[in-house]
Amino acid sequence: MANFQGHALPGSFFLIIGLWWSIKYPLKFFHEKGKKSRLSQQQQRLEVIEAAVRTVFSVIGILAEQFVPDGPHLHLSHENHWVKLMNWQHFTMYLFFAISGIIDMLTYHSTHIVPLGVDRLIMAVAIFNEGFLFYYHIHNRPPLDQHIHLLLTFALFGGSISVFLEVIFRDNIVLELFRTSLVILQGTWFWQIGFVLFPLFGAPEWDQKDEHNIMFITMCFSWHYVAALCIVAANYSLVYCLLTRMKRHGGEIIGIQNLKSDHTYQAALLSGSDEE
Amino acid sequence: MANFQGHALPGSFFLIIGLWWSIKYPLKFFHEKGKKSRLSQQQQRLEVIEAAVRTVFSVIGILAEQFVPDGPHLHLSHENHWVKLMNWQHFTMYLFFAISGIIDMLTYHSTHIVPLGVDRLIMAVAIFNEGFLFYYHIHNRPPLDQHIHLLLTFALFGGSISVFLEVIFRDNIVLELFRTSLVILQGTWFWQIGFVLFPLFGAPEWDQKDEHNIMFITMCFSWHYVAALCIVAANYSLVYCLLTRMKRHGGEIIGIQNLKSDHTYQAALLSGSDEE
Amino acid sequence: MANFQGHALPGSFFLIIGLWWSIKYPLKFFHEKGKKSRLSQQQQRLEVIEAAVRTVFSVIGILAEQFVPDGPHLHLSHENHWVKLMNWQHFTMYLFFAISGIIDMLTYHSTHIVPLGVDRLIMAVAIFNEGFLFYYHIHNRPPLDQHIHLLLTFALFGGSISVFLEVIFRDNIVLELFRTSLVILQGTWFWQIGFVLFPLFGAPEWDQKDEHNIMFITMCFSWHYVAALCIVAANYSLVYCLLTRMKRHGGEIIGIQNLKSDHTYQAALLSGSDEE
Amino acid sequence: MANFQGHALPGSFFLIIGLWWSIKYPLKFFHEKGKKSRLSQQQQRLEVIEAAVRTVFSVIGILAEQFVPDGPHLHLSHENHWVKLMNWQHFTMYLFFAISGIIDMLTYHSTHIVPLGVDRLIMAVAIFNEGFLFYYHIHNRPPLDQHIHLLLTFALFGGSISVFLEVIFRDNIVLELFRTSLVILQGTWFWQIGFVLFPLFGAPEWDQKDEHNIMFITMCFSWHYVAALCIVAANYSLVYCLLTRMKRHGGEIIGIQNLKSDHTYQAALLSGSDEE
């Protein structure tokens, strides 16, 4: 859907997932530090729910691309002409994310069947596929339109490589936070694309051939990433503060002692032990 | 062989190997989980046979490229002109796969001579070489022809990197399944190329300069990969079901208990242990 | 700041940091070999100070780019035109390094909160961002100007990959020395850019379109790296000699015995043990 | 030196080193399998000698590039013109290999000073630098000349990545053999470049703009790699046969029993153990 809504919809999806991850992964990280493998059952259920939500998002995207009034309604060709290829390409992107969601559900639901890491592989493939389609999507467009989509592929290919690394280095909090920040970046950038290409509320059109606009947009992409990093950092701190307070007020599980002992461990790591 | 058969032949080879792998690797995975190193002898023999079959495929390809009626018949140059360079390039691709097959046979036959990992390295080189030759193969062709071959190189370079990783992370089921899916993709895509460039049964020619055809073909490549993933998933499930049923009906080896205990292990992995 | 000072300033920053690292990492390496985790407290304080200095450098850069007489003074657009985009882009580069500095401070100050590796990730992102902005920064400039900045991106993307590897292979002395050499290269190259594009003291202008100048500058970049390697090697040797002498004259910590025993260990590594 | 000798000289250097490595690494591999860390002293001395020879080769290259009759004789510029930039670029390539040789000598001579892995890092840098200079070396040349040098960079960048991996995965026989094959490829390809660009013995000139010549040269590069692989395989087998025979005739160290027991070990690895 080449309009503002068509960019706001996936933008919101990615933003929601990114924000959720920026809560989930710090939570998981502090829990694991506090006490080993305790939330097993609960956590697994949570992962299944998350994957289900992601699948639902993708299915909404699929349906929206096909059945909006000016969509292809599942017609691929008509009298030797391809019908609404743009919508079909977006459909394909959502399709991969739907598959990734389903695989995630299976992985966490039937842990003894699906080998660990397949979920990350398929997620990496889905993200790569989005970048791949975008890359060949933007020929014959005005320079600014082309560039603003090209910037997106940086987030996508970077994310794809990072998620692929998780196949081998699973449960690495740094890679997980990196992925989180890139997903948030993607979300906000989709909104930015919408605002630039389809100005709302009578805002002036952007001159799509002005070199200065392209320079600004490049820099703006960096600023979005700064914002994404700030969001991740803020939520991370929030989780830490909440967990610390819950501990202080009694009823909860993660011990500051545990965190402290871990502190000693990390301090040891920092100062001169050969852990390579 | 720039005709339909010249694409159907390698397509079928890759497809057969891919389908076989989509059975073999799940089988190996569940066997290993059930009981350690039990099928040693048998498995090794199987690997040698597989490698032999792959070598035979490659030799068929080599012979076909050289000795079809309009082939070069081992003549490389004639009166200061190169003879049938296309066939020679295809010949070179098959040659590398033949070498890879031979190295595989040696690796599994004489395990105390050839160091483990050389087989994967040579396979990665063979796949890279195919991509490398295709990449420089397609200059001065119509855009659609160029693009449809370029897409193939994505599968090839991706596969080459993945197989190279297996030098270090050997027997990683995720990398093995990834490789399997890419080989199936390659197989079906060769057939697709054949259908697009040499329409059969009086089907209409494709306009090789139409931008829409290129857009469609790009998306079509993604769909092929979805199909490849579905094939791998289906065969994986099939193997799992068969093994489970064999167990239930008595006479077989892999214990559901073993799978279950492994389940507990994986569940532990999933929930908060630091395994990095 | 498109003048000599605008290149000398970041050049000096990178040079100072590089020189400091070329002392710090050898020191850390020999200390760790001599005795495990001894300087913990002290070292941590040092790391915090270093990160603070880097943050201050970045803030100086930020302020300089904004508030020099011909800077944008925090105005981004004026009557529908972007104001001083060059300065804003440089500002963005410094901003990322400021963030990296802050994260480093947090990592070493509150080791039980920030997960190890996030500091390296953000540093890799900051370096990547610098390369990314430079890459899209140089369109529409004369060939020599373009090329001399493009060469810088080699150091930047190389450095970014190397630092990213440190997320996983932390405290690897080889990667640390590699990073050090690339930072020194960056520092000297900024000075080189300044000298080439804004000749001082009435030196003749460089012909920015001469193919030979471009060839020379490419080679000159290699020479800068030779110089950077020599500086790292010299400082490394210096640290080794000083530590050895301090030992011999009594009062110090690192034992030559320890180094010797380590020698035996490394010799064992070198000769035929399978440490892969 | 833009003539046949200027390509035959480095070609021969690389070929000699490659052939030596194709003997050395198999030898080391079988020794290590037979008995742990036995040849320590001897092996170390050998490594120092090898590094010294490589340094001498590089110094010969440096001197040849500077002091051939039409060389620059250490003059860099003359009346505001750069002097013999081609020779200076080749000089720079040799310079990096000289540095790499010196670092190798230091690493194996003073194992307690230079950290393991620095030798591989510098070698990777030297190879990368060669590729980097070649890449920017070939603008404004006829297509065939450009292409034949571009192919070389494939061997160079591939080699650089592979050697860089050895920083982390040191003493991996597969990576070592891969490096060996690429060095041999480089050696034979330099000779090929010489024959193509400067035909000897009155051989006809190659048409440097003919598309077919470029296609043939691309394929020819693959054939060179086949040859390189065959050479490595032949020498590997030779070493194995010699060691086996020496064992059988009494006086030597490496036990077939040891090889056999290793065989059992590898067979176990091959059949279903989780070694990931």
Side-chain angles (χ1 to χ4, degrees):
Chain A
M1 295 173 289
N3 52 30
F4 185 82
Q5 286 75 31
H7 288 89
L9 188 77
S12 307
F13 287 167
F14 285 117
L15 211 47
I16 291 171
I17 293 168
L19 290 175
W20 160 238
W21 281 353
S22 70
I23 304 281
K24 183 181 82 167
Y25 287 118
L27 257 178
K28 208 183 81 182
F29 177 65
F30 287 117
H31 266 305
E32 283 171 15
K33 280 173 61 170
K35 210 163 180 176
K36 294 252 177 269
S37 52
R38 200 176 157 282
L39 292 193
S40 158
Q41 207 69 7
Q42 239 171 296
Q43 216 176 20
Q44 222 165 308
R45 206 171 303 140
L46 209 68
E47 294 282 1
V48 174
I49 293 170
E50 184 205 305
V53 170
R54 275 193 276 130
T55 313
V56 168
F57 280 179
S58 309
V59 170
I60 292 174
I62 287 172
L63 296 176
E65 290 293 340
Q66 286 289 348
F67 298 110
V68 285
D70 64 338
H73 294 81
L74 298 178
H75 292 91
L76 182 58
S77 75
H78 179 69
E79 287 175 1
N80 265 321
H81 281 84
W82 303 110
V83 175
K84 302 266 170 203
L85 279 179
M86 280 293 165
N87 290 54
W88 276 102
Q89 289 212 345
H90 296 145
F91 158 86
T92 307
M93 296 178 192
Y94 285 118
L95 180 63
F96 269 85
F97 282 106
I99 294 173
S100 164
I102 292 168
I103 294 283
D104 271 44
M105 278 195 278
L106 287 175
T107 302
Y108 287 102
H109 187 261
S110 320
T111 44
H112 58 306
I113 304 178
V114 185
L116 273 177
V118 167
D119 49 346
R120 296 294 142 86
L121 175 71
I122 302 294
M123 192 186 280
V125 166
I127 298 172
F128 180 86
N129 176 66
E130 194 191 340
F132 165 77
L133 286 178
F134 266 125
Y135 186 79
Y136 286 112
H137 195 64
I138 54 180
H139 289 293
N140 304 324
R141 301 225 205 150
L144 181 66
D145 190 341
Q146 228 174 60
H147 190 66
I148 207 169
H149 280 97
L150 188 69
L151 291 174
L152 193 61
T153 63
F154 275 86
L156 292 169
F157 291 131
S160 180
I161 292 170
S162 168
V163 175
F164 188 82
L165 281 177
E166 288 186 60
V167 171
I168 290 160
F169 304 101
R170 201 187 173 82
D171 284 324
N172 184 314
I173 180 73
V174 181
L175 291 179
E176 288 168 346
L177 291 178
F178 186 43
R179 163 156 58 97
T180 303
S181 68
L182 287 175
V183 167
I184 294 177
L185 170 64
Q186 221 195 120
T188 62
W189 195 246
F190 263 114
W191 279 87
Q192 180 76 45
I193 296 179
F195 281 119
V196 169
L197 300 186
F198 313 98
L200 285 183
F201 315 122
E205 295 269 338
W206 289 57
D207 178 355
Q208 300 231 4
K209 286 177 183 163
D210 183 11
E211 185 71 22
H212 289 96
N213 281 339
I214 289 179
M215 267 187 77
F216 170 74
I217 274 298
T218 309
M219 185 171 60
C220 185
F221 187 69
S222 293
W223 293 356
H224 273 255
Y225 194 57
V226 171
L229 286 179
C230 289
I231 292 172
V232 173
N235 282 357
Y236 188 93
S237 314
L238 205 75
V239 167
Y240 177 74
C241 291
L242 277 179
L243 288 181
T244 312
R245 183 161 304 178
M246 275 159 75
K247 171 65 199 167
R248 211 177 297 142
H249 288 50
E252 244 317 70
I253 324 135
I254 316 136
I256 292 295
Q257 301 97 306
N258 288 321
L259 289 177
K260 278 238 181 77
S261 69
D262 195 274
H263 162 106
T264 324
Y265 168 65
Q266 283 217 1
L269 280 186
L270 279 165
S271 57
S273 57
D274 52 347
E275 52 149 3
E276 181 222 343
Chain B
M1 296 173 289
N3 53 30
F4 186 81
Q5 286 76 31
H7 289 90
L9 188 77
S12 307
F13 287 166
F14 285 116
L15 211 47
I16 291 171
I17 293 167
L19 291 174
W20 160 238
W21 281 353
S22 70
I23 304 281
K24 184 182 80 168
Y25 287 118
L27 256 178
K28 208 183 80 183
F29 177 65
F30 286 116
H31 267 305
E32 283 171 14
K33 280 173 62 171
K35 211 163 179 175
K36 294 252 176 270
S37 52
R38 199 176 158 281
L39 294 193
S40 157
Q41 209 69 7
Q42 240 171 294
Q43 216 176 20
Q44 220 166 308
R45 207 172 301 140
L46 209 67
E47 294 282 1
V48 174
I49 293 170
E50 184 205 305
V53 170
R54 275 193 276 131
T55 313
V56 169
F57 279 0
S58 309
V59 170
I60 293 174
I62 287 172
L63 296 176
E65 289 293 338
Q66 287 287 348
F67 299 109
V68 285
D70 64 339
H73 294 82
L74 298 178
H75 293 91
L76 181 58
S77 74
H78 178 70
E79 286 175 1
N80 264 321
H81 281 84
W82 303 111
V83 175
K84 302 265 169 205
L85 278 180
M86 281 292 166
N87 290 54
W88 276 102
Q89 289 213 343
H90 296 145
F91 157 86
T92 307
M93 296 178 192
Y94 284 119
L95 180 63
F96 269 85
F97 283 105
I99 294 172
S100 164
I102 292 169
I103 295 283
D104 271 43
M105 277 195 279
L106 287 175
T107 301
Y108 287 101
H109 187 262
S110 320
T111 44
H112 59 305
I113 304 178
V114 185
L116 272 177
V118 167
D119 50 345
R120 296 295 141 86
L121 176 71
I122 302 294
M123 193 186 280
V125 165
I127 298 172
F128 180 87
N129 176 65
E130 193 191 341
F132 165 77
L133 286 178
F134 266 125
Y135 186 79
Y136 286 111
H137 194 64
I138 55 180
H139 289 291
N140 305 325
R141 301 225 206 150
L144 181 66
D145 190 340
Q146 229 174 59
H147 189 66
I148 207 169
H149 279 97
L150 187 69
L151 291 174
L152 194 61
T153 62
F154 275 86
L156 291 169
F157 291 131
S160 180
I161 292 170
S162 168
V163 176
F164 188 82
L165 282 177
E166 288 186 59
V167 170
I168 290 160
F169 304 100
R170 200 187 173 82
D171 284 323
N172 183 314
I173 179 72
V174 181
L175 292 178
E176 287 168 346
L177 291 178
F178 186 42
R179 162 156 58 98
T180 304
S181 68
L182 287 175
V183 167
I184 294 176
L185 170 64
Q186 221 195 122
T188 63
W189 195 247
F190 264 114
W191 279 86
Q192 180 77 43
I193 296 178
F195 281 119
V196 168
L197 300 185
F198 313 97
L200 286 185
F201 315 122
E205 294 270 338
W206 289 56
D207 178 355
Q208 300 232 4
K209 285 178 184 164
D210 184 10
E211 185 70 23
H212 289 96
N213 281 340
I214 288 179
M215 267 185 76
F216 170 74
I217 273 298
T218 309
M219 184 172 59
C220 186
F221 187 69
S222 293
W223 294 356
H224 273 254
Y225 194 58
V226 171
L229 287 179
C230 290
I231 292 172
V232 173
N235 282 358
Y236 188 93
S237 313
L238 205 77
V239 168
Y240 176 74
C241 291
L242 277 179
L243 288 180
T244 312
R245 184 161 303 177
M246 275 159 76
K247 170 65 199 166
R248 210 176 298 140
H249 288 50
E252 244 315 70
I253 325 133
I254 316 138
I256 292 295
Q257 301 97 304
N258 289 321
L259 289 178
K260 279 239 180 78
S261 67
D262 195 274
H263 162 105
T264 323
Y265 168 66
Q266 283 216 2
L269 280 185
L270 279 165
S271 56
S273 57
D274 52 347
E275 52 150 3
E276 182 224 343
Chain C
M1 295 173 287
N3 53 31
F4 185 81
Q5 285 76 29
H7 289 89
L9 187 77
S12 306
F13 287 165
F14 285 116
L15 211 47
I16 291 170
I17 293 168
L19 290 175
W20 160 238
W21 282 353
S22 71
I23 304 281
K24 183 182 81 166
Y25 287 118
L27 257 178
K28 207 183 81 182
F29 177 65
F30 286 117
H31 266 305
E32 283 170 16
K33 280 171 65 170
K35 211 163 179 174
K36 294 252 176 270
S37 51
R38 202 177 154 281
L39 294 193
S40 159
Q41 209 68 9
Q42 240 171 296
Q43 216 175 20
Q44 220 165 308
R45 205 171 303 140
L46 211 66
E47 295 282 1
V48 174
I49 293 170
E50 184 204 305
V53 170
R54 275 193 277 129
T55 313
V56 168
F57 279 0
S58 308
V59 170
I60 293 173
I62 286 173
L63 295 177
E65 290 293 340
Q66 286 289 347
F67 298 110
V68 284
D70 64 340
H73 294 81
L74 298 177
H75 292 91
L76 182 57
S77 74
H78 179 70
E79 287 175 2
N80 265 320
H81 282 85
W82 302 111
V83 174
K84 302 266 169 204
L85 278 179
M86 281 293 164
N87 290 54
W88 277 103
Q89 289 212 344
H90 296 145
F91 157 86
T92 308
M93 296 178 193
Y94 283 119
L95 180 63
F96 269 85
F97 282 106
I99 294 172
S100 165
I102 292 168
I103 294 283
D104 271 43
M105 277 195 278
L106 287 176
T107 301
Y108 287 101
H109 186 262
S110 320
T111 44
H112 58 307
I113 303 178
V114 185
L116 273 177
V118 167
D119 50 346
R120 296 294 142 86
L121 175 71
I122 302 294
M123 192 186 279
V125 166
I127 298 172
F128 180 86
N129 176 67
E130 194 191 341
F132 166 76
L133 286 178
F134 266 125
Y135 186 79
Y136 286 112
H137 194 66
I138 55 181
H139 289 292
N140 305 324
R141 302 227 205 148
L144 181 66
D145 189 341
Q146 228 174 61
H147 189 66
I148 208 170
H149 279 98
L150 188 69
L151 291 174
L152 193 61
T153 63
F154 274 86
L156 291 169
F157 292 130
S160 180
I161 291 171
S162 168
V163 175
F164 187 81
L165 282 177
E166 288 186 60
V167 171
I168 289 159
F169 303 101
R170 200 187 174 83
D171 284 323
N172 183 314
I173 179 74
V174 181
L175 292 178
E176 288 168 345
L177 292 178
F178 186 43
R179 163 156 58 98
T180 304
S181 69
L182 287 176
V183 167
I184 294 176
L185 170 64
Q186 220 195 120
T188 61
W189 196 247
F190 264 114
W191 279 86
Q192 180 78 43
I193 295 179
F195 280 119
V196 168
L197 300 186
F198 313 98
L200 286 185
F201 316 122
E205 295 270 337
W206 289 56
D207 177 356
Q208 300 231 6
K209 286 178 182 163
D210 184 10
E211 186 70 24
H212 289 95
N213 281 339
I214 289 178
M215 268 186 76
F216 170 73
I217 273 298
T218 310
M219 184 172 59
C220 185
F221 186 69
S222 294
W223 293 356
H224 273 255
Y225 193 58
V226 171
L229 286 178
C230 289
I231 291 172
V232 173
N235 283 356
Y236 188 93
S237 313
L238 206 76
V239 167
Y240 177 75
C241 291
L242 277 180
L243 288 181
T244 312
R245 183 161 305 176
M246 275 159 75
K247 170 67 199 167
R248 210 177 298 141
H249 287 51
E252 242 318 68
I253 324 131
I254 314 137
I256 291 296
Q257 301 97 305
N258 288 321
L259 290 178
K260 278 238 181 78
S261 69
D262 195 274
H263 162 106
T264 323
Y265 167 66
Q266 283 218 359
L269 279 186
L270 279 165
S271 57
S273 57
D274 52 347
E275 51 149 5
E276 180 223 342
Chain D
M1 296 174 287
N3 53 30
F4 185 81
Q5 285 76 30
H7 288 89
L9 188 77
S12 306
F13 286 166
F14 285 116
L15 210 48
I16 291 171
I17 292 167
L19 290 174
W20 159 238
W21 281 353
S22 70
I23 304 281
K24 183 182 82 168
Y25 287 119
L27 257 178
K28 207 183 82 183
F29 177 64
F30 286 116
H31 266 304
E32 283 171 15
K33 281 172 62 169
K35 211 162 179 175
K36 294 254 176 267
S37 51
R38 200 176 157 282
L39 294 193
S40 158
Q41 208 69 7
Q42 241 171 295
Q43 215 176 20
Q44 220 165 309
R45 205 172 303 141
L46 209 68
E47 294 283 1
V48 174
I49 293 169
E50 183 205 305
V53 170
R54 275 193 277 130
T55 312
V56 168
F57 279 0
S58 308
V59 170
I60 293 173
I62 286 172
L63 296 176
E65 289 294 339
Q66 286 288 347
F67 299 109
V68 284
D70 63 340
H73 294 82
L74 297 178
H75 292 91
L76 182 57
S77 74
H78 179 69
E79 286 176 1
N80 264 321
H81 281 84
W82 303 111
V83 175
K84 301 265 170 205
L85 279 179
M86 280 294 165
N87 290 53
W88 277 103
Q89 289 213 343
H90 296 145
F91 158 85
T92 308
M93 296 179 192
Y94 284 119
L95 180 63
F96 268 85
F97 282 106
I99 294 172
S100 164
I102 292 168
I103 294 283
D104 272 44
M105 278 196 278
L106 288 176
T107 302
Y108 287 101
H109 187 262
S110 320
T111 45
H112 59 307
I113 303 178
V114 185
L116 273 178
V118 167
D119 50 346
R120 296 294 141 86
L121 176 71
I122 302 294
M123 193 186 280
V125 166
I127 298 172
F128 180 87
N129 176 66
E130 195 191 340
F132 165 77
L133 286 178
F134 266 125
Y135 186 79
Y136 285 112
H137 194 66
I138 56 180
H139 289 292
N140 305 325
R141 301 225 205 149
L144 181 65
D145 190 340
Q146 228 174 60
H147 189 67
I148 207 170
H149 280 97
L150 188 69
L151 291 174
L152 193 61
T153 62
F154 274 87
L156 291 170
F157 291 131
S160 180
I161 292 169
S162 168
V163 175
F164 188 81
L165 281 177
E166 288 187 60
V167 171
I168 290 160
F169 303 100
R170 201 186 173 84
D171 284 323
N172 183 314
I173 179 74
V174 181
L175 292 177
E176 287 168 346
L177 292 178
F178 185 43
R179 162 156 59 98
T180 304
S181 68
L182 287 176
V183 167
I184 294 176
L185 169 65
Q186 220 195 122
T188 62
W189 195 246
F190 264 114
W191 279 86
Q192 181 75 44
I193 295 178
F195 280 119
V196 168
L197 300 186
F198 313 98
L200 286 184
F201 316 122
E205 295 270 338
W206 289 57
D207 177 355
Q208 300 232 5
K209 286 178 184 165
D210 184 9
E211 185 71 22
H212 289 95
N213 281 340
I214 289 178
M215 267 187 76
F216 169 73
I217 273 299
T218 309
M219 184 172 59
C220 186
F221 186 70
S222 294
W223 293 357
H224 273 254
Y225 194 57
V226 171
L229 287 179
C230 290
I231 292 172
V232 173
N235 282 358
Y236 187 93
S237 314
L238 206 75
V239 167
Y240 177 74
C241 292
L242 277 179
L243 289 180
T244 313
R245 183 161 302 177
M246 275 159 75
K247 170 66 197 168
R248 209 177 298 141
H249 288 51
E252 243 317 66
I253 325 132
I254 316 136
I256 292 295
Q257 303 96 303
N258 289 321
L259 288 179
K260 278 240 181 76
S261 68
D262 195 275
H263 161 105
T264 323
Y265 167 66
Q266 284 217 0
L269 279 186
L270 278 165
S271 56
S273 56
D274 52 348
E275 51 151 3
E276 180 224 342

